[in-house]
Coordinates of all heavy atoms in Angstrom, one line a residue:
M1 N 142.8 71.4 -85.5 CA 143.9 71.6 -86.5 C 143.4 72.4 -87.7 O 142.3 72.1 -88.2 CB 144.3 70.1 -86.9 CG 145.4 70.1 -87.9 SD 145.8 68.4 -88.1 CE 146.8 68.5 -89.5
T2 N 144.1 73.3 -88.1 CA 143.7 74.2 -89.2 C 144.5 73.8 -90.5 O 145.7 73.3 -90.3 CB 144.0 75.7 -88.9 OG1 145.4 75.8 -88.7 CG2 143.2 76.1 -87.8
T3 N 143.9 74.0 -91.6 CA 144.6 73.7 -92.8 C 144.9 75.0 -93.6 O 144.0 75.9 -93.5 CB 143.8 72.7 -93.8 OG1 142.6 73.4 -94.0 CG2 143.6 71.5 -93.1
L4 N 146.0 75.1 -94.1 CA 146.4 76.3 -94.9 C 146.0 76.1 -96.4 O 146.3 75.1 -96.9 CB 147.8 76.6 -94.8 CG 148.3 76.9 -93.4 CD1 149.9 77.1 -93.4 CD2 147.7 78.2 -92.8
A5 N 145.4 77.1 -96.9 CA 145.1 77.0 -98.4 C 146.4 77.1 -99.2 O 147.2 77.9 -98.9 CB 144.1 78.2 -98.8
K6 N 146.4 76.2 -100.2 CA 147.6 76.3 -101.1 C 147.6 77.5 -102.0 O 146.5 77.8 -102.5 CB 147.7 75.0 -101.9 CG 148.0 73.8 -101.1 CD 148.2 72.6 -101.9 CE 148.5 71.4 -101.1 NZ 148.8 70.2 -102.0
R7 N 148.7 78.2 -102.0 CA 148.8 79.3 -102.9 C 149.8 79.1 -104.0 O 150.8 78.4 -103.8 CB 149.3 80.5 -102.1 CG 148.2 81.4 -101.6 CD 148.8 82.7 -100.9 NE 150.0 83.2 -101.7 CZ 150.7 84.1 -101.3 NH1 150.6 84.7 -100.1 NH2 151.7 84.6 -102.0
S8 N 149.5 79.6 -105.2 CA 150.4 79.5 -106.2 C 151.5 80.6 -106.0 O 151.2 81.6 -105.4 CB 149.8 79.6 -107.6 OG 149.2 80.9 -107.7
P9 N 152.7 80.3 -106.4 CA 153.7 81.3 -106.2 C 153.5 82.6 -106.9 O 152.9 82.6 -108.0 CB 155.0 80.6 -106.6 CG 154.6 79.5 -107.5 CD 153.2 79.2 -107.1
G10 N 153.9 83.7 -106.4 CA 153.8 85.0 -107.1 C 152.5 85.6 -107.0 O 151.6 85.1 -106.3
R11 N 152.4 86.8 -107.6 CA 151.1 87.5 -107.6 C 150.1 86.9 -108.5 O 150.4 86.2 -109.4 CB 151.4 88.9 -108.1 CG 152.2 89.8 -107.1 CD 152.3 91.2 -107.7 NE 153.3 91.2 -108.6 CZ 153.5 92.2 -109.5 NH1 152.8 93.3 -109.4 NH2 154.5 92.2 -110.3
Q12 N 148.8 87.2 -108.2 CA 147.7 86.7 -109.0 C 147.8 87.5 -110.3 O 148.2 88.7 -110.4 CB 146.4 86.9 -108.4 CG 146.2 85.9 -107.3 CD 144.7 85.9 -106.9 OE1 143.9 86.8 -107.1 NE2 144.3 84.8 -106.3
M13 N 147.3 86.9 -111.4 CA 147.3 87.6 -112.7 C 146.2 88.6 -112.7 O 145.1 88.4 -112.2 CB 147.1 86.6 -113.8 CG 148.3 85.7 -114.1 SD 148.1 84.9 -115.7 CE 149.3 83.6 -115.4
D14 N 146.5 89.7 -113.3 CA 145.6 90.9 -113.4 C 144.7 90.7 -114.7 O 145.2 90.6 -115.8 CB 146.4 92.1 -113.6 CG 145.6 93.4 -113.7 OD1 144.3 93.3 -113.6 OD2 146.2 94.5 -113.8
D15 N 143.4 90.5 -114.4 CA 142.5 90.3 -115.6 C 142.4 91.4 -116.5 O 142.3 91.3 -117.7 CB 141.1 90.0 -115.1 CG 140.9 88.6 -114.5 OD1 141.8 87.7 -114.8 OD2 140.0 88.4 -113.7
E16 N 142.6 92.7 -115.9 CA 142.6 93.9 -116.8 C 143.7 93.9 -117.7 O 143.6 94.2 -118.9 CB 142.6 95.1 -115.9 CG 142.6 96.4 -116.7 CD 142.7 97.6 -115.8 OE1 142.2 97.7 -114.7 OE2 143.3 98.6 -116.3
L17 N 144.9 93.4 -117.2 CA 146.1 93.3 -118.1 C 145.8 92.4 -119.3 O 146.2 92.6 -120.4 CB 147.3 92.9 -117.4 CG 148.6 92.8 -118.2 CD1 148.9 94.1 -118.9 CD2 149.7 92.4 -117.3
G18 N 145.2 91.2 -119.0 CA 144.9 90.3 -120.0 C 144.0 90.9 -121.1 O 144.2 90.7 -122.3
H19 N 143.0 91.7 -120.7 CA 142.1 92.3 -121.6 C 142.9 93.4 -122.4 O 142.6 93.6 -123.6 CB 140.9 92.9 -120.9 CG 140.0 91.9 -120.4 ND1 139.3 91.0 -121.2 CD2 139.5 91.7 -119.1 CE1 138.6 90.2 -120.4 NE2 138.7 90.6 -119.2
R20 N 143.8 94.1 -121.8 CA 144.5 95.1 -122.5 C 145.4 94.5 -123.6 O 145.5 95.0 -124.7 CB 145.5 95.9 -121.5 CG 144.8 97.0 -120.8 CD 145.6 98.0 -120.2 NE 147.0 97.7 -119.9 CZ 147.6 97.5 -118.7 NH1 146.8 97.6 -117.6 NH2 148.9 97.2 -118.6
I21 N 146.0 93.3 -123.2 CA 146.8 92.6 -124.2 C 146.0 92.1 -125.4 O 146.4 92.3 -126.6 CB 147.5 91.4 -123.5 CG1 148.6 91.9 -122.5 CG2 148.2 90.5 -124.5 CD1 149.1 90.9 -121.6
T22 N 144.8 91.5 -125.1 CA 144.0 90.9 -126.2 C 143.4 92.1 -127.0 O 143.3 92.0 -128.3 CB 142.9 90.0 -125.8 OG1 142.1 90.7 -124.8 CG2 143.5 88.7 -125.2
D23 N 143.1 93.2 -126.4 CA 142.5 94.3 -127.1 C 143.6 94.9 -128.0 O 143.4 95.3 -129.2 CB 142.0 95.4 -126.2 CG 140.7 95.1 -125.5 OD1 140.0 94.1 -126.0 OD2 140.4 95.7 -124.5
A24 N 144.8 95.0 -127.5 CA 146.0 95.6 -128.3 C 146.2 94.7 -129.5 O 146.4 95.2 -130.7 CB 147.2 95.6 -127.5
A25 N 146.2 93.4 -129.3 CA 146.4 92.4 -130.4 C 145.3 92.6 -131.5 O 145.6 92.5 -132.7 CB 146.5 91.0 -129.9
W26 N 144.1 92.7 -131.0 CA 142.9 92.8 -131.9 C 143.0 94.1 -132.8 O 142.8 94.1 -134.0 CB 141.7 92.8 -131.1 CG 140.4 92.6 -131.9 CD1 139.5 93.5 -132.2 CD2 140.0 91.4 -132.6 NE1 138.5 93.0 -133.0 CE2 138.8 91.7 -133.2 CE3 140.5 90.1 -132.7 CZ2 138.1 90.7 -134.0 CZ3 139.9 89.2 -133.4 CH2 138.6 89.5 -134.0
R27 N 143.4 95.2 -132.1 CA 143.6 96.5 -132.8 C 144.7 96.3 -133.9 O 144.5 96.8 -135.0 CB 143.9 97.6 -131.9 CG 142.7 98.2 -131.1 CD 143.1 99.5 -130.4 NE 144.3 99.4 -129.7 CZ 144.5 99.0 -128.4 NH1 143.4 98.6 -127.7 NH2 145.7 99.0 -127.8
M28 N 145.8 95.8 -133.5 CA 146.9 95.6 -134.4 C 146.6 94.7 -135.5 O 147.1 94.9 -136.7 CB 148.2 95.1 -133.6 CG 148.6 96.1 -132.5 SD 149.9 95.4 -131.6 CE 151.3 95.4 -132.7
L29 N 145.8 93.7 -135.3 CA 145.4 92.8 -136.4 C 144.6 93.5 -137.4 O 144.6 93.1 -138.6 CB 144.6 91.6 -135.8 CG 144.4 90.4 -136.7 CD1 145.6 89.8 -137.2 CD2 143.6 89.3 -135.9
A30 N 143.9 94.5 -137.1 CA 143.1 95.3 -138.1 C 144.1 96.1 -139.0 O 143.7 96.5 -140.1 CB 142.2 96.3 -137.4
E31 N 145.3 96.3 -138.5 CA 146.3 97.1 -139.3 C 147.3 96.3 -140.1 O 147.9 96.8 -141.0 CB 147.1 98.0 -138.4 CG 146.1 99.0 -137.6 CD 146.9 99.7 -136.5 OE1 148.1 99.5 -136.3 OE2 146.2 100.5 -135.8
K32 N 147.6 95.0 -139.6 CA 148.6 94.2 -140.3 C 148.2 92.7 -140.2 O 147.4 92.4 -139.3 CB 149.9 94.4 -139.7 CG 150.0 94.1 -138.2 CD 151.4 94.2 -137.6 CE 152.0 95.6 -137.7 NZ 153.4 95.6 -137.1
P33 N 148.8 91.9 -141.0 CA 148.4 90.4 -141.0 C 148.9 89.8 -139.8 O 149.9 90.2 -139.1 CB 149.0 89.9 -142.3 CG 150.1 90.8 -142.6 CD 149.7 92.2 -142.1
L34 N 148.3 88.6 -139.4 CA 148.8 87.9 -138.3 C 150.2 87.5 -138.3 O 151.0 87.6 -137.3 CB 147.9 86.6 -138.2 CG 148.3 85.6 -137.1 CD1 148.1 86.2 -135.7 CD2 147.4 84.3 -137.2
A35 N 150.7 87.1 -139.4 CA 152.1 86.8 -139.6 C 153.1 87.9 -139.2 O 154.3 87.7 -138.9 CB 152.4 86.3 -141.0
A36 N 152.6 89.1 -139.3 CA 153.5 90.3 -139.0 C 153.4 90.7 -137.5 O 154.2 91.6 -137.1 CB 153.1 91.5 -139.9
L37 N 152.5 90.2 -136.8 CA 152.4 90.6 -135.4 C 153.5 89.9 -134.5 O 153.8 88.8 -134.8 CB 151.0 90.1 -134.8 CG 149.8 90.9 -135.2 CD1 148.6 90.3 -134.6 CD2 149.9 92.3 -134.9
T38 N 154.0 90.7 -133.6 CA 155.0 90.1 -132.7 C 154.6 90.3 -131.2 O 153.9 91.3 -130.9 CB 156.4 90.8 -132.9 OG1 156.3 92.2 -132.5 CG2 156.8 90.7 -134.4
I39 N 155.1 89.5 -130.4 CA 154.9 89.6 -128.9 C 155.4 91.0 -128.4 O 154.7 91.6 -127.6 CB 155.6 88.5 -128.2 CG1 154.9 87.1 -128.5 CG2 155.5 88.7 -126.7 CD1 153.6 86.8 -128.0
I40 N 156.6 91.4 -128.9 CA 157.1 92.7 -128.5 C 156.2 93.8 -128.8 O 156.0 94.7 -128.0 CB 158.6 92.9 -129.1 CG1 159.5 91.8 -128.6 CG2 159.0 94.3 -128.9 CD1 160.8 91.8 -129.3
E41 N 155.7 93.8 -130.1 CA 154.8 94.9 -130.4 C 153.5 94.9 -129.6 O 153.0 96.0 -129.2 CB 154.4 94.8 -131.9 CG 155.5 95.1 -132.9 CD 155.1 94.8 -134.3 OE1 154.4 93.8 -134.6 OE2 155.5 95.6 -135.2
I42 N 153.0 93.7 -129.4 CA 151.7 93.6 -128.6 C 152.0 94.1 -127.1 O 151.2 94.9 -126.6 CB 151.2 92.2 -128.6 CG1 150.7 91.8 -130.0 CG2 150.0 92.0 -127.6 CD1 150.4 90.3 -130.1
A43 N 153.1 93.7 -126.6 CA 153.5 94.1 -125.2 C 153.6 95.6 -125.2 O 153.1 96.3 -124.2 CB 154.8 93.5 -124.8
E44 N 154.3 96.3 -126.1 CA 154.5 97.7 -126.1 C 153.1 98.4 -126.2 O 152.8 99.4 -125.5 CB 155.4 98.1 -127.2 CG 156.8 97.8 -127.0 CD 157.7 98.1 -128.2 OE1 157.2 98.5 -129.2 OE2 158.9 97.9 -128.1
S45 N 152.3 97.9 -127.1 CA 150.9 98.5 -127.3 C 150.1 98.4 -126.1 O 149.3 99.3 -125.8 CB 150.3 97.9 -128.5 OG 149.0 98.4 -128.7
A46 N 150.2 97.3 -125.4 CA 149.4 97.1 -124.1 C 150.0 97.7 -122.9 O 149.4 97.7 -121.8 CB 149.2 95.5 -123.9
G47 N 151.2 98.2 -123.0 CA 151.9 98.8 -121.9 C 152.4 97.8 -120.9 O 152.3 98.0 -119.7
T48 N 152.9 96.7 -121.4 CA 153.3 95.6 -120.5 C 154.7 95.0 -121.0 O 155.3 95.6 -121.9 CB 152.3 94.6 -120.3 OG1 152.7 93.7 -119.2 CG2 152.1 93.7 -121.5
S49 N 155.1 93.9 -120.4 CA 156.4 93.3 -120.8 C 156.1 92.0 -121.5 O 155.1 91.4 -121.4 CB 157.3 93.1 -119.6 OG 156.6 92.2 -118.7
R50 N 157.2 91.5 -122.2 CA 157.1 90.2 -122.9 C 156.8 89.1 -121.8 O 156.0 88.2 -122.1 CB 158.3 89.9 -123.7 CG 158.4 90.6 -125.0 CD 159.6 90.3 -125.8 NE 160.1 89.0 -125.5 CZ 161.4 88.7 -125.6 NH1 162.3 89.5 -125.9 NH2 161.8 87.4 -125.3
P51 N 157.5 89.1 -120.7 CA 157.3 88.0 -119.7 C 155.9 88.0 -119.2 O 155.3 86.9 -118.9 CB 158.3 88.3 -118.6 CG 159.4 89.1 -119.2 CD 158.7 89.9 -120.3
A52 N 155.2 89.2 -119.1 CA 153.8 89.2 -118.6 C 153.0 88.5 -119.6 O 151.9 87.9 -119.3 CB 153.4 90.7 -118.4
I53 N 153.3 88.7 -120.9 CA 152.5 88.0 -121.9 C 152.7 86.5 -121.9 O 151.8 85.7 -122.0 CB 152.8 88.6 -123.3 CG1 152.2 90.0 -123.4 CG2 152.2 87.8 -124.4 CD1 152.4 90.8 -124.7
Y54 N 154.0 86.1 -121.8 CA 154.3 84.7 -121.9 C 153.9 83.9 -120.7 O 153.7 82.7 -120.7 CB 155.9 84.5 -122.1 CG 156.3 84.7 -123.4 CD1 157.2 85.7 -123.8 CD2 155.9 83.8 -124.5 CE1 157.6 85.9 -125.1 CE2 156.3 84.0 -125.8 CZ 157.1 85.0 -126.1 OH 157.5 85.2 -127.4
R55 N 153.5 84.6 -119.6 CA 152.9 83.9 -118.4 C 151.4 83.5 -118.8 O 150.9 82.6 -118.1 CB 152.9 84.9 -117.2 CG 154.2 84.9 -116.5 CD 154.1 85.6 -115.1 NE 153.9 87.0 -115.2 CZ 154.9 87.9 -115.3 NH1 156.2 87.4 -115.3 NH2 154.7 89.1 -115.3
R56 N 150.9 84.2 -119.8 CA 149.5 83.9 -120.1 C 149.3 83.1 -121.4 O 148.4 82.2 -121.5 CB 148.7 85.2 -120.3 CG 148.5 86.0 -119.0 CD 148.1 87.4 -119.2 NE 147.8 88.1 -118.0 CZ 148.7 88.7 -117.2 NH1 149.9 88.6 -117.4 NH2 148.3 89.2 -116.1
W57 N 150.2 83.4 -122.4 CA 150.0 82.8 -123.7 C 151.4 82.3 -124.2 O 152.5 82.9 -123.8 CB 149.5 83.8 -124.7 CG 148.1 84.2 -124.4 CD1 147.0 83.6 -124.8 CD2 147.7 85.4 -123.8 NE1 145.9 84.3 -124.3 CE2 146.3 85.4 -123.8 CE3 148.4 86.5 -123.3 CZ2 145.6 86.5 -123.2 CZ3 147.7 87.6 -122.7 CH2 146.3 87.6 -122.7
H58 N 151.4 81.4 -125.1 CA 152.7 80.9 -125.7 C 153.0 81.4 -127.0 O 154.1 81.3 -127.5 CB 152.7 79.3 -125.7 CG 152.6 78.7 -124.4 ND1 151.5 78.2 -123.9 CD2 153.6 78.5 -123.5 CE1 151.8 77.7 -122.7 NE2 153.1 77.9 -122.4
S59 N 152.1 82.1 -127.7 CA 152.3 82.5 -129.1 C 151.3 83.7 -129.3 O 150.3 83.9 -128.7 CB 152.1 81.4 -130.0 OG 150.7 81.0 -130.1
V60 N 151.6 84.4 -130.4 CA 150.7 85.4 -130.9 C 149.4 84.8 -131.3 O 148.4 85.4 -131.1 CB 151.4 86.2 -132.1 CG1 150.4 87.1 -132.8 CG2 152.7 86.9 -131.7
E61 N 149.5 83.7 -131.9 CA 148.2 83.0 -132.4 C 147.3 82.8 -131.2 O 146.1 83.0 -131.4 CB 148.5 81.7 -133.1 CG 149.2 81.9 -134.4 CD 150.7 82.1 -134.4 OE1 151.3 82.0 -133.2 OE2 151.4 82.4 -135.4
E62 N 147.8 82.3 -130.1 CA 146.9 82.1 -128.9 C 146.3 83.4 -128.4 O 145.1 83.4 -128.0 CB 147.7 81.5 -127.8 CG 148.1 80.0 -128.0 CD 148.9 79.4 -126.9 OE1 149.0 80.1 -125.8 OE2 149.4 78.3 -127.0
I63 N 147.1 84.5 -128.5 CA 146.5 85.8 -128.0 C 145.4 86.2 -129.0 O 144.3 86.6 -128.5 CB 147.6 86.9 -128.1 CG1 148.8 86.5 -127.1 CG2 147.1 88.3 -127.7 CD1 150.0 87.4 -127.2
V64 N 145.6 86.1 -130.3 CA 144.6 86.4 -131.3 C 143.3 85.6 -131.1 O 142.2 86.1 -131.2 CB 145.2 86.4 -132.7 CG1 144.1 86.5 -133.7 CG2 146.3 87.4 -132.9
I65 N 143.5 84.3 -130.8 CA 142.3 83.4 -130.6 C 141.5 83.9 -129.4 O 140.3 84.1 -129.5 CB 142.7 81.9 -130.5 CG1 143.2 81.4 -131.8 CG2 141.6 81.2 -129.9 CD1 143.9 80.0 -131.7
D66 N 142.2 84.2 -128.3 CA 141.5 84.8 -127.1 C 140.9 86.1 -127.4 O 139.8 86.4 -127.0 CB 142.5 84.9 -125.9 CG 142.6 83.5 -125.2 OD1 141.9 82.5 -125.6 OD2 143.4 83.4 -124.3
A67 N 141.6 87.0 -128.2 CA 141.0 88.2 -128.6 C 139.7 88.1 -129.4 O 138.7 88.7 -129.1 CB 142.0 89.0 -129.4
F68 N 139.8 87.2 -130.3 CA 138.6 86.9 -131.1 C 137.4 86.4 -130.3 O 136.3 86.9 -130.4 CB 138.9 85.8 -132.2 CG 137.7 85.3 -132.9 CD1 137.1 86.1 -133.9 CD2 137.2 84.0 -132.6 CE1 136.0 85.6 -134.6 CE2 136.1 83.6 -133.2 CZ 135.5 84.4 -134.3
L69 N 137.7 85.4 -129.4 CA 136.7 84.9 -128.5 C 136.1 86.0 -127.6 O 134.9 86.0 -127.4 CB 137.2 83.7 -127.7 CG 137.5 82.5 -128.5 CD1 138.2 81.5 -127.6 CD2 136.3 81.9 -129.2
H70 N 136.9 86.8 -127.1 CA 136.5 87.9 -126.2 C 135.6 88.9 -127.0 O 134.6 89.4 -126.5 CB 137.7 88.7 -125.7 CG 137.3 89.9 -124.9 ND1 136.8 89.8 -123.6 CD2 137.4 91.2 -125.2 CE1 136.6 91.0 -123.2 NE2 137.0 91.9 -124.1
H71 N 135.9 89.1 -128.3 CA 135.1 90.1 -129.0 C 133.8 89.5 -129.6 O 132.9 90.3 -129.9 CB 135.9 90.7 -130.2 CG 136.9 91.8 -129.7 ND1 138.1 91.5 -129.1 CD2 136.7 93.1 -129.6 CE1 138.7 92.6 -128.7 NE2 137.9 93.6 -129.0
V72 N 133.7 88.2 -129.7 CA 132.5 87.7 -130.3 C 131.6 87.0 -129.3 O 130.5 86.6 -129.6 CB 132.8 86.7 -131.5 CG1 133.5 87.4 -132.6 CG2 133.5 85.5 -131.0
E73 N 132.0 86.8 -128.1 CA 131.3 86.0 -127.1 C 129.9 86.6 -126.9 O 128.9 85.9 -126.7 CB 132.0 85.8 -125.8 CG 132.1 87.1 -124.9 CD 132.9 86.8 -123.7 OE1 133.1 85.7 -123.3 OE2 133.3 87.8 -123.0
G74 N 129.7 87.9 -126.9 CA 128.4 88.5 -126.7 C 127.5 88.4 -128.0 O 126.3 88.5 -127.9
A75 N 128.1 88.3 -129.1 CA 127.4 88.3 -130.3 C 126.9 86.9 -130.7 O 126.0 86.8 -131.6 CB 128.3 88.8 -131.5
V76 N 127.4 85.9 -130.1 CA 127.0 84.5 -130.4 C 125.7 84.2 -129.6 O 125.7 84.2 -128.4 CB 128.1 83.5 -130.1 CG1 127.6 82.1 -130.4 CG2 129.3 83.8 -131.0
Q77 N 124.7 83.8 -130.3 CA 123.4 83.4 -129.7 C 123.5 82.0 -129.3 O 123.9 81.1 -130.1 CB 122.3 83.7 -130.6 CG 122.1 85.1 -131.0 CD 121.7 86.0 -129.9 OE1 120.9 85.6 -129.0 NE2 122.3 87.2 -129.8
T78 N 123.0 81.6 -128.1 CA 123.0 80.3 -127.6 C 121.6 79.9 -127.4 O 120.8 80.7 -127.0 CB 123.9 80.0 -126.4 OG1 123.4 80.9 -125.4 CG2 125.3 80.3 -126.7
D79 N 121.2 78.7 -127.5 CA 119.9 78.1 -127.3 C 119.9 77.6 -125.8 O 120.6 76.7 -125.5 CB 119.6 77.0 -128.3 CG 118.1 76.5 -128.1 OD1 117.4 77.0 -127.2 OD2 117.8 75.6 -128.9
D80 N 119.1 78.3 -125.0 CA 119.1 77.9 -123.6 C 118.6 76.4 -123.4 O 119.0 75.8 -122.4 CB 118.1 78.8 -122.8 CG 118.8 80.2 -122.6 OD1 120.0 80.3 -122.8 OD2 118.0 81.2 -122.4
A81 N 117.9 75.9 -124.3 CA 117.4 74.5 -124.3 C 118.5 73.6 -124.4 O 118.5 72.4 -123.9 CB 116.4 74.3 -125.3
L82 N 119.6 74.0 -125.0 CA 120.8 73.1 -125.2 C 121.7 73.2 -124.0 O 122.7 72.4 -123.9 CB 121.6 73.4 -126.5 CG 120.8 73.3 -127.7 CD1 121.6 73.7 -128.9 CD2 120.4 71.8 -127.9
A83 N 121.6 74.2 -123.1 CA 122.4 74.3 -122.0 C 122.2 73.2 -121.0 O 121.1 72.7 -120.8 CB 122.1 75.7 -121.3
P84 N 123.3 72.8 -120.3 CA 123.2 71.7 -119.4 C 122.4 72.2 -118.1 O 122.4 73.3 -117.8 CB 124.6 71.3 -119.0 CG 125.4 72.5 -119.4 CD 124.7 73.2 -120.5
P85 N 121.7 71.3 -117.5 CA 120.9 71.7 -116.3 C 121.8 72.0 -115.2 O 122.9 71.6 -115.1 CB 120.1 70.4 -116.0 CG 120.8 69.3 -116.6 CD 121.5 69.8 -117.8
D86 N 121.3 72.9 -114.3 CA 122.1 73.4 -113.2 C 122.3 72.3 -112.1 O 121.6 71.4 -111.9 CB 121.5 74.6 -112.5 CG 121.6 75.8 -113.5 OD1 122.6 75.9 -114.2 OD2 120.7 76.7 -113.4

């Protein structure tokens, strides 16, 4: 007897699109305050649609948080001694 892997409906999310969205939000944040950013502007700048953004995030603030984390993750030094064992 074989088992079928469960699949989520629809296509898989494109990681590159997620990076384009967070990069667009990060660039726009350099030009205007967070309160002035809109999902529509971010979507247009990233070359995508509002629904594509809403499938990943619920608000502009969530996008900006992910953009921040993406841009600083390489700059943050971690102590390997604090890492959990494998």
Side-chain angles (χ1 to χ4, degrees):
M1 180 172 167
T2 61
T3 59
L4 298 174
K6 290 185 179 181
R7 262 187 43 189
S8 60
R11 290 185 277 170
Q12 288 195 338
M13 287 194 202
D14 180 4
D15 287 338
E16 181 184 325
L17 177 58
H19 290 300
R20 282 199 336 252
I21 293 167
T22 55
D23 288 345
W26 192 252
R27 282 192 313 272
M28 295 173 74
L29 191 60
E31 299 169 3
K32 59 172 65 178
L34 176 61
L37 289 180
T38 67
I39 295 285
I40 294 171
E41 291 175 318
I42 294 170
E44 289 174 357
S45 180
T48 191
S49 65
R50 282 183 28 210
I53 290 179
Y54 280 117
R55 281 191 287 274
R56 293 165 172 81
W57 298 278
H58 294 101
S59 67
V60 171
E61 292 81 5
E62 288 182 8
I63 299 168
V64 170
I65 289 168
D66 279 354
F68 170 78
L69 293 173
H70 174 74
H71 281 83
V72 300
E73 72 182 345
V76 176
Q77 298 295 321
T78 59
D79 186 357
D80 290 337
L82 300 176
D86 290 331

